Amino acid sequence: MKNIVITSEPLNSQLCINSVADNGSGGLVVFIGNVRNKTKGKEVKYLDFEAYEAMALKEMQKIAREAIERWHLYDMAIHHRVGRVGIGEAAVVIACSSAHRKESFKACEFAIDTLKKTVPIWKKEVFEDGEVWVSAHP
Amino acid sequence: MKIQIIAFGIAKDIVGKKQMTLDFEGKSVGEVRTCLVNRFPEFEQLASLRFAVNTSYVDDSFELTENDEVVLIPPVSGG
């Protein structure tokens, strides 16, 4: 599926949007997950993402397929970055299109929520004085 | 039984390497879990630890065969 991408290059959100555009679509929703400069008040230097790529692509495809079917989307694209990602840069871009806006809003939220639960990608927050794997501990 | 373990994220830090051979008693994923927790007690501190075989999640009752590749999936945090 060409719309499901994992890359160590900076993400191009316009490319992701263009890949789901359709003349029959009256609503296109895009979610961009960016790297924040702070976590719990502590300054973050950058994030480092690691993926189990073969399985992550498969799980991302599953999400897109389910969303397309459930909300009758024209299309959905999910692009995820790996490696070192700087403050303010996009870690994930999700775009989807449907005849009307409501379906795409719902589908886009479903996609990012599910991605965070099922896709085998991990982020490490790197601070001035150490690093932490996010969500590893309860 | 001997299997290959592949570790990502914090699991890689806990076992100290990306890949290792594990010789364990039994044949199920649950028994692999028990063996790993005994050997590396830090696994018990994690919010969760899931396993994958052939790029799919498997549960503890899944039966392995010799030389299977079992991937350790600590809590995911993409996005």
Side-chain angles (χ1 to χ4, degrees):
Chain A
M1 221 168 156
K2 65 173 174 38
N3 287 349
I4 304 299
V5 174
I6 292 177
T7 175
S8 55
E9 300 294 317
L11 298 181
N12 179 337
S13 53
Q14 193 60 52
L15 208 67
C16 187
I17 291 167
N18 293 349
S19 73
V20 302
D22 188 289
N23 287 343
S25 157
L28 192 156
V29 169
V30 56
F31 170 79
I32 304 179
N34 284 334
V35 176
R36 267 197 317 264
N37 61 356
K38 274 182 188 163
T39 183
K40 291 170 194 144
K42 195 169 173 182
E43 196 144 329
V44 175
K45 278 174 69 189
Y46 61 89
L47 297 186
D48 206 342
F49 286 87
E50 184 183 359
Y52 171 21
E53 195 168 317
M55 183 170 167
L57 288 169
K58 201 167 127 181
E59 290 292 324
M60 286 155 72
Q61 257 168 39
K62 255 196 243 175
I63 293 171
R65 261 193 228 118
E66 189 181 338
I68 288 167
E69 200 176 314
R70 211 162 135 187
W71 286 283
H72 311 290
L73 306 177
Y74 282 103
D75 215 346
M76 173 175 272
I78 309 176
H79 295 189
H80 205 298
R81 178 115 178 247
V82 289
R84 190 170 165 158
V85 186
I87 306 303
E89 291 188 287
V92 63
V93 181
I94 301 176
C96 60
S97 57
S98 48
H100 305 286
R101 69 184 182 284
K102 270 190 185 156
E103 288 73 20
S104 277
F105 273 120
K106 282 184 190 153
C108 201
E109 185 166 34
F110 161 83
I112 183 63
D113 288 352
T114 310
L115 181 148
K116 283 175 172 284
K117 284 183 212 138
T118 64
V119 177
I121 295 179
W122 298 269
K123 65 171 156 254
K124 191 159 67 175
E125 285 169 338
V126 180
F127 305 103
E128 204 60 63
D129 61 351
E131 44 188 50
V132 172
W133 286 104
V134 176
S135 305
H137 298 99
Chain B
M1 184 193 300
K2 274 190 189 151
I3 54 160
Q4 297 303 315
I5 293 281
I6 297 166
F8 284 95
I10 196 169
K12 188 176 62 186
D13 294 349
I14 292 173
V15 302
K17 50 191 156 185
K18 178 102 198 143
Q19 198 162 354
M20 63 179 247
T21 302
L22 184 75
D23 201 346
F24 73 107
E25 294 282 327
K27 56 186 175 179
S28 74
V29 164
E31 286 156 325
V32 171
R33 181 190 297 282
T34 305
C35 177
L36 284 171
V37 169
N38 285 336
R39 214 162 130 189
F40 307 98
E42 273 181 79
F43 277 123
E44 258 185 326
Q45 315 297 317
L46 298 185
S48 67
L49 179 64
R50 299 176 77 184
F51 296 85
V53 176
N54 293 324
T55 69
S56 290
Y57 285 112
V58 291
D59 62 29
D60 279 16
S61 63
F62 186 87
E63 290 193 359
L64 297 162
T65 49
E66 190 89 17
N67 292 321
D68 265 351
E69 268 187 10
V70 177
V71 179
L72 308 190
I73 316 259
V76 299
S77 52

